[in-house]
């Protein structure tokens, strides 16, 4: 697979996730695929934990956070592995929050995702998801130094 094809696969998975299309996401990832957020297991309320299968992880993420506008940074691709930073205008229970996620992806030879580890500001995300007042943490994302690629 080419670098462009890998990036298209990532965009396909994220677009299906944004559309809340569980079945499409599950089709785009390999059986037995893994997902984890780089945080202490269980420290983000409602997030998948290490023991969750990919279907359970997808269901939890789709129920917890709605994706709005997505901006992609130009990915770094090495063979069947890629890293890409995305900015997401997200909501949880109607409360907005700007997310910046760094996804480390791995694909099989058929172009199906087999692994995704996401890095984010977990403290800000936890504050957003657990805020007693229901207000977002309000952590602004810096706009400088983010070279962007066209999204589909």
């Amino acid at each position: 697979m080419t670098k462009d094809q890998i990036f298209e696969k990532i965009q396909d998975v994220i677009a299906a996730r944004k559309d809340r299309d569980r079945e499409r996401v599950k089709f785009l990832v390999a059986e037995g695929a893994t997902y984890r957020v780089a945080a202490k297991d269980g420290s983000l309320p409602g997030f998948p934990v290490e023991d969750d299968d990919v279907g359970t992880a997808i269901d939890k993420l789709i129920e917890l956070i709605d994706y709005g506008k997505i901006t992609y940074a130009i990915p770094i691709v090495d063979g069947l592995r890629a890293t890409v930073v995305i900015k997401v205008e997200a909501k949880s229970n109607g409360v907005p929050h700007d997310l910046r996620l760094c996804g480390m992806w791995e694909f099989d030879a058929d172009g199906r995702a087999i692994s995704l580890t996401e890095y984010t500001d977990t403290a800000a995300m936890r504050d957003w998801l657990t805020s007693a007042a229901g207000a977002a943490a309000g952590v602004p994302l810096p706009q400088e130094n983010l070279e962007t690629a066209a999204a589909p």
Side-chain angles (χ1 to χ4, degrees):
M1 293 179 60
T2 68
K3 290 179 180 188
D4 288 342
Q5 289 170 322
I6 292 286
F7 188 36
E8 287 172 10
K9 294 290 185 178
I10 291 169
Q11 291 172 315
D12 287 348
V13 172
I14 293 171
R17 191 253 179 268
K18 177 183 176 181
D19 293 341
R20 303 175 62 83
D21 187 343
R22 291 170 170 80
E23 295 310 311
R24 177 99 176 116
V25 175
K26 291 174 187 176
F27 173 77
L28 294 167
V29 300
E31 184 70 32
T34 60
Y35 170 83
R36 69 180 283 272
V37 64
K40 182 180 173 189
D41 208 22
S43 67
L44 290 171
F47 257 72
V49 294
E50 200 169 306
D51 294 343
D52 287 341
D53 62 44
V54 70
T56 301
I58 290 164
D59 290 342
K60 284 182 176 182
L61 290 169
I62 286 174
E63 284 305 311
L64 185 63
I65 300 172
D66 291 317
Y67 277 17
K69 180 182 176 188
I70 301 167
T71 305
Y72 295 86
I74 295 174
I76 298 168
V77 180
D78 179 27
L80 295 174
R81 296 179 300 165
T83 300
V84 64
V85 173
I86 64 172
K87 292 189 317 181
V88 180
E89 293 177 7
K91 288 185 179 181
S92 183
N93 291 321
V95 179
H97 184 74
D98 288 332
L99 293 175
R100 178 176 278 186
L101 302 168
C102 177
M104 300 179 78
W105 297 75
E106 188 170 353
F107 293 85
D108 64 17
D110 295 324
R112 296 178 74 193
I114 58 173
S115 175
L116 171 58
T117 299
E118 288 188 306
Y119 293 82
T120 190
D121 182 341
T122 54
M125 184 177 283
R126 185 174 38 256
D127 289 348
W128 169 50
L129 296 172
T130 62
S131 172
V139 178
L141 295 175
Q143 299 299 311
E144 67 277 358
N145 301 323
L146 183 64
E147 187 176 355
T148 58

